[in-house]
Short mmCIF file of all heavy atoms in Angstrom, two decimals:
data_model
loop_
_atom_site.label_atom_id
_atom_site.label_comp_id
_atom_site.label_asym_id
_atom_site.label_seq_id
_atom_site.Cartn_x
_atom_site.Cartn_y
_atom_site.Cartn_z
N TRP A 192 -88.50 2.80 -137.84
CA TRP A 192 -88.22 2.35 -139.20
C TRP A 192 -89.36 1.49 -139.75
O TRP A 192 -89.33 1.13 -140.93
CB TRP A 192 -86.92 1.55 -139.22
CG TRP A 192 -85.72 2.32 -138.79
CD1 TRP A 192 -85.19 2.42 -137.54
CD2 TRP A 192 -84.86 3.12 -139.63
NE1 TRP A 192 -84.07 3.21 -137.55
CE2 TRP A 192 -83.86 3.65 -138.81
CE3 TRP A 192 -84.87 3.42 -140.99
CZ2 TRP A 192 -82.84 4.47 -139.32
CZ3 TRP A 192 -83.86 4.23 -141.50
CH2 TRP A 192 -82.87 4.75 -140.66
N ASP A 193 -90.32 1.16 -138.93
CA ASP A 193 -91.47 0.34 -139.33
C ASP A 193 -92.63 1.29 -139.63
O ASP A 193 -93.23 1.86 -138.70
CB ASP A 193 -91.83 -0.63 -138.20
CG ASP A 193 -92.93 -1.60 -138.59
OD1 ASP A 193 -93.79 -1.25 -139.43
OD2 ASP A 193 -92.96 -2.72 -138.04
N GLY A 194 -92.96 1.47 -140.90
CA GLY A 194 -93.98 2.43 -141.28
C GLY A 194 -95.33 2.17 -140.66
O GLY A 194 -96.09 3.12 -140.38
N ARG A 195 -95.67 0.90 -140.40
CA ARG A 195 -96.97 0.60 -139.81
C ARG A 195 -97.00 1.00 -138.33
O ARG A 195 -98.05 1.41 -137.82
CB ARG A 195 -97.28 -0.88 -139.99
CG ARG A 195 -97.63 -1.24 -141.42
CD ARG A 195 -97.47 -2.71 -141.70
NE ARG A 195 -96.08 -3.12 -141.61
CZ ARG A 195 -95.65 -4.34 -141.96
NH1 ARG A 195 -96.49 -5.24 -142.40
NH2 ARG A 195 -94.37 -4.64 -141.86
N LYS A 196 -95.89 0.89 -137.65
CA LYS A 196 -95.85 1.30 -136.25
C LYS A 196 -95.68 2.81 -136.10
O LYS A 196 -96.27 3.42 -135.21
CB LYS A 196 -94.71 0.58 -135.52
CG LYS A 196 -94.94 -0.90 -135.32
CD LYS A 196 -93.81 -1.54 -134.54
CE LYS A 196 -94.11 -3.00 -134.24
NZ LYS A 196 -93.02 -3.65 -133.46
N GLN A 197 -94.86 3.40 -136.97
CA GLN A 197 -94.56 4.83 -136.85
C GLN A 197 -95.63 5.69 -137.50
O GLN A 197 -95.90 6.80 -137.08
CB GLN A 197 -93.20 5.11 -137.49
CG GLN A 197 -92.55 6.42 -137.06
CD GLN A 197 -92.62 7.46 -138.15
OE1 GLN A 197 -93.50 8.30 -138.15
NE2 GLN A 197 -91.70 7.41 -139.09
N GLY A 198 -96.26 5.16 -138.58
CA GLY A 198 -97.27 5.92 -139.29
C GLY A 198 -96.76 6.51 -140.59
O GLY A 198 -97.51 7.13 -141.33
N GLY A 199 -95.49 6.31 -140.87
CA GLY A 199 -94.88 6.85 -142.08
C GLY A 199 -93.37 6.70 -141.99
O GLY A 199 -92.86 5.70 -141.48
N GLY A 200 -92.67 7.73 -142.43
CA GLY A 200 -91.22 7.70 -142.40
C GLY A 200 -90.67 9.04 -141.96
O GLY A 200 -91.13 9.62 -140.97
N ALA A 201 -89.69 9.55 -142.71
CA ALA A 201 -89.08 10.82 -142.35
C ALA A 201 -90.09 11.96 -142.37
O ALA A 201 -89.95 12.92 -141.62
CB ALA A 201 -87.91 11.13 -143.29
N LEU A 202 -91.11 11.86 -143.21
CA LEU A 202 -92.08 12.94 -143.29
C LEU A 202 -92.80 13.13 -141.95
O LEU A 202 -92.83 14.24 -141.41
CB LEU A 202 -93.09 12.67 -144.41
CG LEU A 202 -93.96 13.86 -144.85
CD1 LEU A 202 -94.46 13.66 -146.28
CD2 LEU A 202 -95.14 14.11 -143.93
N THR A 203 -93.36 12.06 -141.41
CA THR A 203 -94.08 12.22 -140.14
C THR A 203 -93.12 12.45 -138.98
O THR A 203 -93.47 13.15 -138.02
CB THR A 203 -94.96 10.98 -139.84
OG1 THR A 203 -94.26 9.79 -140.23
CG2 THR A 203 -96.26 11.06 -140.59
N ASP A 204 -91.93 11.89 -139.06
CA ASP A 204 -90.98 12.05 -137.96
C ASP A 204 -90.38 13.46 -137.92
O ASP A 204 -90.27 14.07 -136.85
CB ASP A 204 -89.86 11.02 -138.09
CG ASP A 204 -88.83 11.12 -136.98
OD1 ASP A 204 -89.23 11.31 -135.82
OD2 ASP A 204 -87.63 11.00 -137.26
N MET A 205 -90.01 14.00 -139.09
CA MET A 205 -89.28 15.25 -139.15
C MET A 205 -90.17 16.45 -139.51
O MET A 205 -90.06 17.52 -138.92
CB MET A 205 -88.14 15.15 -140.17
CG MET A 205 -87.24 13.95 -139.98
SD MET A 205 -86.25 14.05 -138.47
CE MET A 205 -85.00 15.22 -138.98
N LEU A 206 -91.05 16.26 -140.50
CA LEU A 206 -91.81 17.40 -140.99
C LEU A 206 -92.92 17.83 -140.03
O LEU A 206 -93.41 18.96 -140.12
CB LEU A 206 -92.39 17.12 -142.38
CG LEU A 206 -91.53 17.67 -143.54
CD1 LEU A 206 -90.15 17.02 -143.53
CD2 LEU A 206 -92.21 17.46 -144.88
N CYS A 207 -93.32 16.95 -139.10
CA CYS A 207 -94.30 17.42 -138.11
C CYS A 207 -93.70 18.53 -137.25
O CYS A 207 -94.41 19.45 -136.83
CB CYS A 207 -94.82 16.27 -137.26
SG CYS A 207 -93.62 15.52 -136.17
N HIS A 208 -92.39 18.48 -136.99
CA HIS A 208 -91.69 19.58 -136.34
C HIS A 208 -91.72 20.83 -137.22
O HIS A 208 -92.11 21.92 -136.80
CB HIS A 208 -90.21 19.24 -136.12
CG HIS A 208 -89.91 18.35 -134.98
ND1 HIS A 208 -90.22 18.64 -133.68
CD2 HIS A 208 -89.27 17.15 -134.95
CE1 HIS A 208 -89.80 17.67 -132.90
NE2 HIS A 208 -89.22 16.75 -133.64
N ALA A 209 -91.24 20.64 -138.45
CA ALA A 209 -91.01 21.78 -139.34
C ALA A 209 -92.31 22.49 -139.71
O ALA A 209 -92.35 23.73 -139.78
CB ALA A 209 -90.29 21.30 -140.60
N LEU A 210 -93.37 21.74 -139.96
CA LEU A 210 -94.61 22.35 -140.43
C LEU A 210 -95.26 23.20 -139.35
O LEU A 210 -95.74 24.31 -139.62
CB LEU A 210 -95.57 21.26 -140.91
CG LEU A 210 -95.13 20.54 -142.19
CD1 LEU A 210 -96.06 19.38 -142.49
CD2 LEU A 210 -95.08 21.51 -143.37
N VAL A 211 -95.29 22.70 -138.11
CA VAL A 211 -95.90 23.52 -137.05
C VAL A 211 -95.01 24.71 -136.74
O VAL A 211 -95.50 25.81 -136.45
CB VAL A 211 -96.18 22.68 -135.79
CG1 VAL A 211 -94.91 22.28 -135.07
CG2 VAL A 211 -97.09 23.44 -134.82
N ASN A 212 -93.70 24.52 -136.81
CA ASN A 212 -92.79 25.64 -136.55
C ASN A 212 -92.97 26.74 -137.59
O ASN A 212 -93.05 27.93 -137.24
CB ASN A 212 -91.35 25.14 -136.56
CG ASN A 212 -90.37 26.19 -136.11
OD1 ASN A 212 -90.39 26.63 -134.96
ND2 ASN A 212 -89.49 26.63 -137.00
N ASN A 213 -93.05 26.37 -138.86
CA ASN A 213 -93.27 27.37 -139.91
C ASN A 213 -94.59 28.10 -139.71
O ASN A 213 -94.67 29.32 -139.89
CB ASN A 213 -93.25 26.69 -141.28
CG ASN A 213 -91.86 26.33 -141.75
OD1 ASN A 213 -90.87 26.73 -141.15
ND2 ASN A 213 -91.79 25.57 -142.82
N GLU A 214 -95.63 27.33 -139.36
CA GLU A 214 -96.94 27.96 -139.17
C GLU A 214 -96.91 28.97 -138.03
O GLU A 214 -97.49 30.06 -138.13
CB GLU A 214 -97.99 26.89 -138.91
CG GLU A 214 -99.41 27.41 -138.91
CD GLU A 214 -100.43 26.29 -138.88
OE1 GLU A 214 -100.65 25.66 -139.92
OE2 GLU A 214 -101.00 26.05 -137.79
N VAL A 215 -96.23 28.63 -136.95
CA VAL A 215 -96.11 29.55 -135.82
C VAL A 215 -95.33 30.80 -136.24
O VAL A 215 -95.71 31.93 -135.91
CB VAL A 215 -95.45 28.86 -134.61
CG1 VAL A 215 -95.06 29.87 -133.53
CG2 VAL A 215 -96.38 27.81 -134.02
N LEU A 216 -94.24 30.62 -136.97
CA LEU A 216 -93.44 31.76 -137.41
C LEU A 216 -94.24 32.69 -138.31
O LEU A 216 -94.11 33.92 -138.22
CB LEU A 216 -92.20 31.28 -138.15
CG LEU A 216 -91.09 30.65 -137.32
CD1 LEU A 216 -89.99 30.11 -138.22
CD2 LEU A 216 -90.50 31.64 -136.32
N LEU A 217 -95.08 32.14 -139.16
CA LEU A 217 -95.82 32.94 -140.13
C LEU A 217 -97.09 33.56 -139.57
O LEU A 217 -97.68 34.43 -140.19
CB LEU A 217 -96.18 32.08 -141.34
CG LEU A 217 -95.03 31.68 -142.26
CD1 LEU A 217 -95.48 30.59 -143.23
CD2 LEU A 217 -94.48 32.89 -143.02
N SER A 218 -97.51 33.09 -138.39
CA SER A 218 -98.77 33.57 -137.82
C SER A 218 -98.58 34.89 -137.10
O SER A 218 -97.68 35.04 -136.26
CB SER A 218 -99.34 32.52 -136.86
OG SER A 218 -99.66 31.33 -137.54
N ASP A 219 -99.43 35.85 -137.39
CA ASP A 219 -99.38 37.16 -136.76
C ASP A 219 -99.70 37.01 -135.27
O ASP A 219 -100.77 36.50 -134.91
CB ASP A 219 -100.41 38.08 -137.42
CG ASP A 219 -100.30 39.53 -136.97
OD1 ASP A 219 -99.76 39.77 -135.87
OD2 ASP A 219 -100.78 40.40 -137.70
N PRO A 220 -98.80 37.44 -134.38
CA PRO A 220 -99.09 37.33 -132.94
C PRO A 220 -100.36 38.07 -132.54
O PRO A 220 -100.98 37.71 -131.53
CB PRO A 220 -97.85 37.96 -132.29
CG PRO A 220 -96.79 37.90 -133.32
CD PRO A 220 -97.47 38.02 -134.64
N ASN A 221 -100.74 39.07 -133.31
CA ASN A 221 -101.92 39.87 -132.98
C ASN A 221 -103.09 39.62 -133.94
O ASN A 221 -104.08 40.36 -133.92
CB ASN A 221 -101.58 41.37 -133.03
CG ASN A 221 -100.43 41.73 -132.10
OD1 ASN A 221 -100.31 41.17 -131.02
ND2 ASN A 221 -99.58 42.63 -132.56
N GLY A 222 -102.96 38.59 -134.78
CA GLY A 222 -103.97 38.38 -135.80
C GLY A 222 -104.66 37.05 -135.72
O GLY A 222 -104.54 36.32 -134.73
N SER A 223 -105.36 36.72 -136.78
CA SER A 223 -106.11 35.47 -136.85
C SER A 223 -105.20 34.33 -137.28
O SER A 223 -104.19 34.56 -137.95
CB SER A 223 -107.27 35.62 -137.85
OG SER A 223 -108.11 36.70 -137.50
N PRO A 224 -105.57 33.09 -136.94
CA PRO A 224 -104.77 31.94 -137.38
C PRO A 224 -104.77 31.82 -138.90
O PRO A 224 -105.73 32.20 -139.58
CB PRO A 224 -105.50 30.74 -136.74
CG PRO A 224 -106.31 31.32 -135.63
CD PRO A 224 -106.69 32.70 -136.07
N LEU A 225 -103.68 31.30 -139.42
CA LEU A 225 -103.60 31.04 -140.85
C LEU A 225 -104.32 29.74 -141.20
O LEU A 225 -104.39 28.82 -140.38
CB LEU A 225 -102.14 30.92 -141.29
CG LEU A 225 -101.30 32.19 -141.25
CD1 LEU A 225 -99.83 31.85 -141.50
CD2 LEU A 225 -101.78 33.20 -142.29
N GLU A 226 -104.83 29.66 -142.43
CA GLU A 226 -105.46 28.43 -142.90
C GLU A 226 -104.76 27.97 -144.16
O GLU A 226 -104.61 28.74 -145.12
CB GLU A 226 -106.94 28.64 -143.17
CG GLU A 226 -107.66 27.37 -143.60
CD GLU A 226 -109.15 27.56 -143.80
OE1 GLU A 226 -109.57 28.70 -144.10
OE2 GLU A 226 -109.89 26.57 -143.65
N ALA A 227 -104.31 26.72 -144.16
CA ALA A 227 -103.63 26.18 -145.33
C ALA A 227 -104.62 25.97 -146.47
O ALA A 227 -105.73 25.45 -146.27
CB ALA A 227 -102.96 24.86 -144.98
N VAL A 228 -104.22 26.35 -147.70
CA VAL A 228 -105.10 26.21 -148.85
C VAL A 228 -104.58 25.22 -149.89
O VAL A 228 -105.34 24.76 -150.74
CB VAL A 228 -105.36 27.58 -149.51
CG1 VAL A 228 -106.03 28.53 -148.53
CG2 VAL A 228 -104.07 28.19 -150.05
N SER A 229 -103.28 24.88 -149.82
CA SER A 229 -102.77 23.87 -150.74
C SER A 229 -101.48 23.25 -150.20
O SER A 229 -100.73 23.91 -149.47
CB SER A 229 -102.52 24.46 -152.14
OG SER A 229 -101.36 25.27 -152.14
N VAL A 230 -101.27 21.99 -150.59
CA VAL A 230 -100.08 21.24 -150.17
C VAL A 230 -99.51 20.52 -151.38
O VAL A 230 -100.24 19.82 -152.10
CB VAL A 230 -100.42 20.21 -149.07
CG1 VAL A 230 -99.17 19.41 -148.69
CG2 VAL A 230 -101.03 20.89 -147.86
N THR A 231 -98.21 20.68 -151.62
CA THR A 231 -97.49 19.86 -152.58
C THR A 231 -96.33 19.21 -151.84
O THR A 231 -95.82 19.76 -150.86
CB THR A 231 -96.96 20.68 -153.76
OG1 THR A 231 -96.12 21.74 -153.27
CG2 THR A 231 -98.10 21.28 -154.56
N ALA A 232 -95.89 18.04 -152.29
CA ALA A 232 -94.87 17.32 -151.52
C ALA A 232 -94.16 16.29 -152.38
O ALA A 232 -94.64 15.90 -153.45
CB ALA A 232 -95.50 16.64 -150.31
N GLU A 233 -93.02 15.86 -151.88
CA GLU A 233 -92.24 14.78 -152.51
C GLU A 233 -91.64 13.92 -151.42
O GLU A 233 -91.14 14.44 -150.41
CB GLU A 233 -91.15 15.36 -153.39
CG GLU A 233 -90.30 14.31 -154.10
CD GLU A 233 -89.25 14.91 -155.01
OE1 GLU A 233 -89.15 16.15 -155.06
OE2 GLU A 233 -88.53 14.12 -155.66
#
Side-chain angles (χ1 to χ4, degrees):
W192 299 92
D193 185 331
R195 287 160 294 188
K196 290 183 175 180
Q197 199 254 97
L202 195 156
T203 39
D204 180 41
M205 308 292 283
L206 264 61
C207 67
H208 282 300
L210 292 173
V211 70
N212 188 65
N213 284 350
E214 189 170 283
V215 168
L216 287 175
L217 289 168
S218 296
D219 189 337
N221 303 323
S223 303
L225 291 171
E226 183 177 27
V228 299
S229 74
V230 178
T231 57
E233 181 178 3

